[in-house]
Amino acid sequence: MFFEDFQVGQKWESKGRTITDADVVIFTGITGALNPLFLDEEYGKKTRFKGRIIPGLLTASIAVGLTYQLPSDPFGEGFVALTKLEMDAKKPVKIGDTLRTVVEVTDKKEREKDGRVYLTIRTLNQLGEEVMTLKMEILCSKRS
């Protein structure tokens, strides 16, 4: 999408994606986030979460990935860069949870040759509970 294609108030909803053990193992291996809370079920059982949880940055990464897969493709041809990302974790996510996102254009600011588009990405689990909110600023080219 180009800057002109975004309209404040516009919303999209992604498909769902179920989190697997392989997702956690690959993510923690790549990032080095080898926290026992993510990898050791017995350790996790002794915490307030009563079991393993997935890393918040993995939840955020999956939410952004689901946004990339929207039919409108907000990160398509006109997309230049992700310039800001704020994360607000609200509930733990566990292996077996299915996540989907609701993406809303909350603002846009035109500049001479491009513009900034502000998105709010609400990440929901299979029960419809909001597990994370991302606020994203992207830089987009203009059509002309």
Side-chain angles (χ1 to χ4, degrees):
M1 293 176 71
F2 289 90
F3 177 77
E4 297 88 344
D5 298 324
F6 289 94
Q7 303 301 319
V8 174
Q10 196 170 20
K11 283 187 182 180
W12 305 276
E13 186 170 335
S14 75
K15 295 178 181 177
R17 184 184 186 296
T18 301
I19 309 306
T20 67
D21 184 58
D23 294 325
V24 176
V25 171
I26 291 167
F27 183 85
T28 57
I30 289 171
T31 62
L34 303 173
N35 186 324
L37 187 54
F38 309 143
L39 298 169
D40 182 337
E41 184 63 32
E42 292 308 311
Y43 175 88
K45 285 178 183 177
K46 297 174 189 168
T47 70
R48 70 172 80 185
F49 304 111
K50 306 296 183 218
R52 291 168 60 191
I53 63 170
I54 74 164
L57 287 174
L58 176 54
T59 301
S61 297
I62 289 170
V64 171
L66 289 169
T67 302
Y68 268 89
Q69 296 172 40
L70 291 169
S72 58
D73 194 8
F75 300 113
E77 189 178 355
F79 175 76
V80 175
L82 169 63
T83 54
K84 187 175 186 180
L85 181 66
E86 295 177 15
M87 180 176 95
D88 182 12
K90 298 178 179 284
K91 286 183 150 286
V93 176
K94 296 193 172 199
I95 292 167
D97 283 353
T98 299
L99 303 180
R100 64 186 166 87
T101 59
V102 177
V103 181
E104 182 177 1
V105 178
T106 54
D107 200 5
K108 57 189 269 190
K109 295 194 171 129
E110 187 171 8
R111 300 180 344 161
E112 187 177 331
K113 296 182 180 181
D114 55 28
R116 297 198 185 264
V117 177
Y118 301 87
L119 304 173
T120 296
I121 301 171
R122 293 178 52 239
T123 308
L124 309 172
N125 66 17
Q126 67 278 4
L127 302 174
E129 300 168 326
E130 190 168 342
V131 297
M132 181 175 284
T133 300
L134 301 173
K135 293 195 183 266
M136 179 183 290
E137 176 185 285
I138 59 175
L139 183 63
C140 295
S141 299
K142 290 183 177 178
R143 283 194 183 281
S144 42

